């Protein structure tokens, strides 16, 4: 008699009790859709800020947390997308809704040549390279006299009021044009946030997402099992640029005024975004969600403290990194085991033993 060992293993990203949190998420999204119907205009503007910062944070987290690409130049795509939107509305007479799409495509187009340059760099040199590119783009657009040069410009009078959907919302809900514009921009931001999070979640649960994690952890080992590191990182870089450009264009539709210094602001579109991801939990989808809420609360609490504001933010970030290296969500998940968006693979099963009878 001889023993033959066979194994029955399965790999899954599903966690016990996952269906209940998903129902909570769907209910929360439904509540968010209805929010403009029963909250004030100032609250809608605050929610718009939270959602747009969340999208930017998710994009940066996708780059740094899942692809190992630590960029400090994402403001290049925010500003370029915003300026492309302004060009579409002011120079080409486009509807702002269509111009937002133009902004995303413009940021995607910008990412192609920049990827060719920055992917020749590694580590800190990659980060510095992305910042240099952002500065070059900012200085170049500051020379664009048709859009105000270094002082910037505003959208044509009535452009946002005539944006697709605004008049319909104003007539349907009986609100004034500016409030209807804020509501439409908010719903667009909510749609962009849901699509971004959903797309990232789907990507990370796919084979491509597994390959991306392998590239982040060990580039050579990933290549040895058939994963192309350059393709994986390029794909993520281009997707993040597209979403960031769309967000930048949407932000400046709501602002209705742009300048190079504001559109390419390092603190607003990169430093705060990194802070959000780090305190929430890098490498998790839930982390940026927690981080943006904490950032919004701190921003409002510290608004009257002037220059102390940035100092307190920095100290908060340092304390969290010291006592919760995986961020607030990482600390919570470690203690509770709860995951709203599980993407880690779990190896489940056990070896089976078969007895095979035979003669010697």
């Amino acid at each position: 008699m001889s023993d033959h060992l066979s194994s029955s293993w399965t790999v899954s990203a599903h966690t016990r009790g996952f269906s209940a949190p998903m129902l909570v998420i769907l209910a929360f999204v439904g509540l968010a859709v209805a929010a403009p119907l029963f909250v004030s205009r100032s609250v809608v503007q605050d929610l718009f800020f939270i959602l747009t910062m969340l999208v930017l944070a998710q994009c940066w987290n996708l780059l740094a947390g899942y692809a190992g690409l630590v960029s400090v130049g994402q403001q290049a795509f925010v500003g370029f997308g915003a300026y492309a939107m302004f060009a579409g509305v002011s120079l080409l007479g486009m509807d702002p809704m269509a111009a937002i799409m133009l902004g995303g495509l413009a940021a995607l187009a910008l990412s192609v040549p920049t990827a060719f340059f920055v992917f020749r760099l590694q580590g800190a040199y990659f980060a510095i390279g992305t910042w240099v590119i952002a500065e070059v783009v900012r200085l170049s657009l500051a020379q664009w006299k048709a859009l105000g040069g270094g002082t910037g410009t505003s959208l044509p009078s009535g452009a946002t009021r005539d944006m697709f959907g605004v008049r319909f919302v104003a007539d349907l809900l009986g609100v004034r044009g500016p409030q209807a514009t804020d509501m439409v921009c908010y719903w667009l931001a909510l749609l962009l946030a849901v699509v971004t999070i959903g797309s990232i979640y789907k990507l990370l649960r796919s084979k491509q997402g597994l390959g991306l994690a392998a590239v982040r952890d060990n580039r050579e080992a990933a290549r040895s099992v058939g994963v192309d590191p350059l393709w994986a990182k390029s794909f993520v870089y281009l997707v993040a640029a597209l979403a960031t450009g769309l967000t930048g264009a949407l932000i400046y539709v709501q602002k209705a005024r742009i300048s190079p210094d504001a559109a390419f602001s390092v603190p607003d579109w990169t430093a705060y975004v990194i802070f959000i991801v780090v305190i929430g939990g890098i490498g998790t989808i839930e982390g940026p969600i927690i981080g943006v809420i904490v950032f919004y609360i701190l921003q409002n609490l510290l608004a009257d403290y002037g220059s102390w504001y940035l100092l307190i933010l920095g100290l908060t970030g340092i304390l969290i990194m010291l006592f919760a290296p995986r961020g607030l969500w990482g600390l919570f998940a470690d203690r509770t085991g709860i995951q709203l968006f599980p993407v880690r693979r779990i190896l489940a099963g056990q070896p089976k033993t078969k007895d095979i009878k035979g003669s010697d």
Side-chain angles (χ1 to χ4, degrees):
M1 180 183 294
S2 65
D3 291 337
H4 174 71
L5 293 179
S6 65
S7 60
S8 178
W9 300 95
T10 59
V11 178
S12 173
H14 184 83
T15 58
R16 183 178 300 176
F18 175 68
S19 58
M22 181 57 71
L23 293 177
V24 174
I25 293 170
L26 293 176
F28 182 80
V29 171
L31 182 64
V33 171
L37 303 180
F38 54 84
V39 299
S40 66
R41 183 183 177 189
S42 62
V43 174
V44 171
Q45 292 173 342
D46 289 343
L47 291 174
F48 174 83
F49 169 79
I50 290 173
L51 289 171
T52 51
M53 291 300 289
L54 174 59
V55 175
L56 295 179
Q58 290 288 357
C59 291
W60 191 87
N61 186 45
L62 179 63
L63 287 174
Y66 292 105
L69 300 173
V70 180
S71 169
V72 293
Q74 291 304 100
Q75 67 272 16
F77 304 117
V78 174
F80 198 73
Y83 263 94
M85 181 276 296
F86 261 75
V89 174
S90 301
L91 304 182
L92 303 179
M94 296 175 64
D95 184 282
M97 190 77 73
I100 291 172
M101 298 300 299
L102 176 64
L105 294 175
L108 177 62
L110 176 65
S111 69
V112 175
T114 58
F116 178 79
F117 170 72
V118 296
F119 282 166
R120 295 174 178 267
L121 307 173
Q122 299 293 329
Y125 296 102
F126 175 88
I128 295 172
T130 58
W131 175 76
V132 169
I133 288 174
E135 285 300 294
V136 170
V137 176
R138 180 184 69 84
L139 293 172
S140 300
L141 290 178
Q143 311 305 315
W144 197 354
K145 301 301 182 183
L147 291 181
T151 58
T153 187
S154 300
L155 287 175
S157 177
T160 55
R161 184 181 63 247
D162 296 331
M163 184 171 66
F164 177 79
V166 170
R167 288 190 176 181
F168 173 77
V169 170
D171 294 339
L172 180 65
L173 302 179
V175 297
R176 300 180 63 182
Q179 185 176 355
T181 300
D182 287 341
M183 295 170 75
V184 171
C185 288
Y186 165 79
W187 280 320
L188 288 174
L190 178 61
L191 175 63
L192 185 57
V194 171
V195 171
T196 299
I197 293 174
S199 299
I200 292 175
Y201 181 53
K202 184 176 180 180
L203 170 65
L204 295 178
R205 287 174 64 93
S206 67
K207 292 182 179 180
Q208 291 76 16
L210 186 59
L212 185 65
V215 171
R216 175 199 61 194
D217 295 337
N218 193 314
R219 184 187 182 99
E220 297 305 320
R223 182 182 284 111
S224 69
V225 294
V227 178
D228 185 348
L230 180 60
W231 183 92
K233 291 188 175 184
S234 298
F235 176 75
V236 167
Y237 187 77
L238 298 181
V239 169
L242 173 63
T244 302
L246 287 170
T247 307
L250 179 57
I251 289 171
Y252 279 92
V253 165
Q254 201 265 350
K255 288 179 178 291
R257 176 165 180 79
I258 196 170
S259 69
D261 290 342
F264 293 89
S265 171
V266 177
D268 289 344
W269 313 128
T270 297
Y272 291 156
V273 167
I274 295 175
F275 175 82
I276 288 169
V277 175
V278 169
I279 66 170
I282 191 169
T284 65
I285 295 177
E286 300 92 342
I289 299 175
I290 300 300
V292 75
I293 295 173
V294 173
F295 172 71
Y296 171 76
I297 294 173
L298 289 175
Q299 189 179 55
N300 281 272
L301 290 177
L302 305 176
D304 298 329
Y305 287 87
S307 58
W308 286 93
Y309 166 61
L310 293 177
L311 178 60
I312 297 175
L313 279 184
L315 289 175
T316 302
I318 292 172
L319 289 174
I320 291 176
M321 285 186 287
L322 286 175
F323 295 101
R326 296 184 57 227
L328 295 175
W329 177 260
L331 180 64
F332 174 79
D334 289 342
R335 294 189 175 184
T336 64
I338 295 175
Q339 293 185 26
L340 299 180
F341 300 95
V343 296
R344 291 183 178 179
R345 269 63 178 185
I346 300 172
L347 185 62
Q350 59 183 0
K352 295 180 179 179
T353 303
K354 283 186 178 181
D355 291 335
I356 302 176
K357 295 182 179 180
S359 58
D360 293 332

